Amino acid sequence: LAEPPLELVLPDELRDSLRLLKPEGNLLSDRFRNIMLRGKIETRKPISQPKKAKRTTTEKWTHKDFRVPGEV
């Protein structure tokens, strides 16, 4: 796995209080990466199955060549 990008806060972006700091980064992606590093889930990419062509049904023209019994 590649190293995550560093999330730095520049001195001009700092506030007087830590309560005023905006949270940065994505908690879900950080958690997901942490679980992969610990080996709880697989790190490989999923292999998708190739799409199959849809089957089309066609009627044969011989269905029009029927004969009613008793008629000539």
Side-chain angles (χ1 to χ4, degrees), residues 5 13-14 20 24 26 32 34-36 38 44-45 47 52 56 60 63-64 69:
E13 296 174 351
L14 284 175
L20 299 175
E24 294 187 13
N26 189 347
F32 186 72
N34 189 10
I35 292 173
M36 281 197 302
R38 288 189 292 159
R44 65 180 174 88
K45 293 185 178 178
I47 300 170
K52 294 182 180 178
T56 56
K60 301 209 176 225
H63 77 280
K64 291 185 177 181

Side-chain angles (χ1 to χ4, degrees), residues 5 8-9 11-12 16 18 20-22 24 26-27 31 33-34 36 42-43 45-46 48 50 53 55-56 61-62 66:
L8 299 176
V9 180
D12 58 334
D16 296 334
L18 289 177
L20 299 175
L21 275 178
K22 290 184 180 178
E24 294 187 13
N26 189 347
L27 188 62
R31 187 78 169 159
R33 186 176 189 289
N34 189 10
M36 281 197 302
E42 294 184 359
T43 56
K45 293 185 178 178
S48 61
R55 287 187 174 185
T56 56
W61 285 94
T62 56
F66 68 92

Side-chain angles (χ1 to χ4, degrees), residues 67-72:
R67 296 207 172 139
V68 178
E71 287 190 18
V72 177

